[in-house]
Amino acid sequence: MLTSFLGHGWASSPERLAIAAAVTLGFALLARALRGVNGSGALSGGFCCFLLFGGAGPAAFATLAALFLMTWVATRLGYRRKLALGLAERREGRNAWQVMANLAVAALGSVIFSATGNRVWLIAALAALAEAATDTVASEIGQYCGPDARLITTWERVPTGTDGGITIPGSMAGLAAGLVIAVVATVGGILPHSQLWIPVAAGFAGMLIDSILGATLQHRGWISNQAVNLLATLAAAALSVLMFT
């Protein structure tokens, strides 16, 4: 049934699904060992990883690995300073809700691509991954480099870590992270050179949408940070579809 469910894409045989499962298990254990995720985060991340690998193949997994590596490094840069400011991530890593908020849209896009063969869903999945990389790296580098930020809705100076606050160094680093995701996908053969710009642009736009939601709905306590992240990746995926067509 699972083979049929993932039928039209890379995962068209039980053998390939077995490879996806083995790689997923190893990746989840490594992420847990590096404290990038806690126990629940490893389980949810592993599930998303399997769907990405099973639906779109090794190149899709490579983009996820690049996302994990970049965010893991960015999170640990200036950790003591972030800890003193009360902005540091938990030592045990991201939990299931945090992981799903960043990866669920990409995993779903990969599954639909596999089931339909329509490349627009693969582009959407890559855009969601690019947004997750862009937003996380931008936030972590912004906290590491600058003493303050600018609120995206009013451009007034606000303390680092304020919902909706952005920095120039962080934004540039985030843009570079989104580019890395697109380049890995291109080198892996799942994204044509002519479409490399789509995940990058959609991911960066999604990051800005994330900041706007943070400065408004999240700041008022109407939605959580996880909801903001989920909506931002969804927005990036939707924008990529418009750019693709």
Side-chain angles (χ1 to χ4, degrees):
M1 180 178 292
L2 184 56
T3 304
S4 175
F5 180 59
L6 297 175
H8 292 85
W10 180 88
S12 57
S13 70
E15 292 79 10
R16 289 179 174 178
L17 289 178
I19 293 172
V23 172
T24 292
L25 177 60
F27 181 69
L29 291 175
L30 177 62
R32 182 71 183 95
L34 292 174
R35 296 184 180 179
V37 292
N38 64 12
S40 66
L43 289 174
S44 60
F47 178 68
C48 291
C49 175
F50 177 74
L51 294 181
L52 280 164
F53 198 129
F61 168 74
T63 62
L64 176 61
L67 167 62
F68 173 79
L69 178 61
M70 289 187 292
T71 56
W72 185 82
V73 171
T75 298
R76 279 150 183 78
L77 283 175
Y79 189 84
R80 289 185 178 180
R81 178 177 185 275
K82 295 172 185 176
L83 191 63
L85 294 172
L87 302 173
E89 182 186 295
R90 300 173 183 174
R91 282 286 187 181
E92 64 269 23
R94 290 178 169 84
N95 61 33
W97 294 114
Q98 291 172 306
V99 171
M100 291 298 289
N102 283 291
L103 299 183
V105 172
L108 179 61
S110 179
V111 169
I112 299 176
F113 162 68
S114 180
T116 64
N118 189 338
R119 284 189 53 81
V120 70
W121 294 105
L122 179 57
I123 299 295
L126 293 174
L129 289 174
E131 193 286 328
T134 301
D135 179 61
T136 304
V137 171
S139 176
E140 295 293 342
I141 296 300
Q143 294 170 12
Y144 169 66
C145 291
D148 54 20
R150 296 278 185 174
L151 193 65
I152 192 171
T153 51
T154 64
W155 209 242
E156 65 181 299
R157 289 187 180 275
V158 292
T160 300
T162 300
D163 296 334
I166 62 173
T167 66
I168 298 301
S171 297
M172 293 301 99
L175 182 62
L179 179 60
V180 169
I181 296 296
V183 168
V184 171
T186 300
V187 172
I190 59 174
L191 181 67
H193 288 83
S194 60
Q195 296 171 354
L196 184 147
W197 67 276
I198 296 179
V200 180
F204 191 78
M207 179 204 71
L208 297 178
I209 291 171
D210 183 288
S211 296
I212 292 172
L213 292 173
T216 55
L217 301 184
Q218 184 183 353
H219 181 70
R220 292 180 174 86
W222 293 351
I223 60 177
S224 66
N225 183 62
Q226 287 75 27
V228 168
N229 290 338
L230 179 64
L231 290 172
T233 55
L234 183 60
L239 288 171
S240 73
V241 171
L242 295 176
M243 295 172 185
F244 180 80
T245 55

